[in-house]
Amino acid sequence: MLPGVAPLTGVALVAAGAAMWGSDGALRAPLVSHWSPWTIVLYEHIILTVLVAPRLVRGAAAIARIPRRGWLAVLGVAWGGSALATLAFTFAFQYGNPDVVILLQKTQPLWALAAAALALGERPRAWLVPVAAAALAGTYLLSFGALAPAHAFAGAQGRAALLALVAAALWGSATVLGRSALTHMEPDVLTGLRFACALPLLAVIAATQGALVPSAVTAADWVRLVLLAVISGLVGMMLYYRGLRRTPASIATFAELAFPASALVINYLVLGATIDAVQLIGFFVLWGTIALLHWVPVRVSAPCGAPDAA
């Protein structure tokens, strides 16, 4: 495939999957208002594990052949990238603007790049430094707008930004671990193990917090939870990774703009959430630097496997 050229179907699938992620805030925020985040994430993973169970059963023989190194990567993806990251992401909705919480997830490539440098021996070129500095500036503007640092990091807004960035760091690091895991298994097996292996940890955490059973449950809550798991979770990921197989990363990053675009529209219509002009400028600065990252030459000291499916 020539650089900068991608089949239309691949780009469309990436955009469709990314657009589905935009529904996450509108579904998750109402649940957070009267469910414990511990409970939300536990039941979200129960639903996802049920959905992926048939594939895991069919792949039992392949799963039995996964070596210890592969299992370590799987646990890193499941416990860090699925369990703890989703908990941090869900808790962030208790404190901050859902638009900001979601848009800060665009920092994930920065965290993945840092993790790859540490874990896989990938070395970006020196000119990445000003690009990263611009990304940090964009992240600050998106998080806090025109607020001075003395006020930005105090109170709920600062906690929301911190939790959202923790989630992005864990998800970005899980990309690197997923690339390692994929040298030992197929993408759909890794996706299934991601949810199934996270479930015991989430059950233990919820039990210690007294949050195994949801309170004040309504039928609408269960509908939101199922839609959250199916639309922004399983189906969104499946479409995205099917498209990414045919789409260069430098093109995919533009198609991924469907994620913030759909999130901003859906959150406004459902939650009445908005961001100001300075925050919007911050997002485009951040997104622009992420787009540039896909053109930064990287020296790789060892094979890193296939693209992540986690």
Side-chain angles (χ1 to χ4, degrees):
M1 184 182 298
L2 294 174
V5 178
L8 180 59
T9 53
V11 176
L13 286 169
V14 169
M20 288 192 170
W21 299 338
S23 66
D24 195 289
L27 294 167
R28 196 177 300 270
L31 286 170
V32 170
S33 66
H34 56 279
W35 279 40
S36 164
W38 314 107
T39 312
I40 294 170
V41 179
L42 172 63
Y43 280 84
E44 183 181 357
H45 278 73
I46 289 174
I47 295 168
L48 286 166
T49 301
V50 169
L51 292 173
V52 300
R55 179 60 185 90
L56 294 179
V57 171
R58 291 196 302 271
I63 292 171
R65 294 193 296 269
I66 297 174
R68 180 182 301 177
R69 182 182 180 89
W71 278 112
L72 289 175
V74 166
L75 290 178
V77 170
W79 291 1
S82 198
L84 299 181
T86 311
L87 282 170
F89 182 67
T90 305
F91 269 103
F93 282 94
Q94 286 189 326
Y95 301 109
N97 184 328
D99 282 346
V100 174
V101 172
I102 286 179
L103 297 184
L104 281 174
Q105 300 317 302
K106 291 300 289 180
T107 63
Q108 285 182 41
L110 300 174
W111 301 105
L113 196 66
L118 294 173
L120 300 179
E122 296 185 0
R123 294 294 181 265
R125 302 292 185 184
W127 71 274
L128 177 67
V129 174
V131 174
L136 290 174
T139 300
Y140 181 90
L141 291 175
L142 170 59
S143 301
F144 306 114
L147 280 179
H151 302 290
F153 295 99
Q157 192 171 353
R159 288 194 294 273
L162 178 61
L163 286 165
L165 289 172
V166 166
L170 288 169
W171 275 322
S173 300
T175 296
V176 178
L177 291 171
R179 293 170 70 191
S180 175
L182 284 171
T183 61
H184 307 287
M185 67 199 75
E186 292 297 316
D188 54 348
V189 171
L190 176 57
T191 301
L193 290 175
R194 167 188 178 133
F195 301 133
C197 292
L199 189 55
L201 176 63
L202 288 167
V204 170
I205 293 174
T208 61
Q209 299 297 319
L212 279 174
V213 180
S215 58
V217 178
T218 67
D221 290 337
W222 289 115
V223 171
R224 288 190 186 98
L225 196 61
V226 171
L227 291 175
L228 183 65
V230 173
I231 295 177
S232 66
L234 192 61
V235 176
M237 284 179 58
M238 289 173 63
L239 289 173
Y240 176 78
Y241 283 110
R242 283 181 182 275
L244 199 60
R245 283 182 174 180
R246 318 175 194 181
T247 309
S250 55
I251 301 297
T253 193
F254 289 91
E256 288 170 23
L257 277 178
F259 167 45
S262 64
L264 290 173
V265 172
I266 294 171
N267 288 350
Y268 174 74
L269 294 175
V270 177
L271 305 175
T274 60
I275 58 175
D276 62 31
V278 175
Q279 290 174 300
L280 192 60
I281 291 171
F283 168 73
F284 280 110
V285 170
L286 172 62
W287 174 79
T289 56
I290 297 303
L292 282 175
L293 286 179
H294 292 298
W295 298 97
V296 176
V298 175
R299 294 189 294 271
V300 183
S301 61
C304 58
D308 180 32

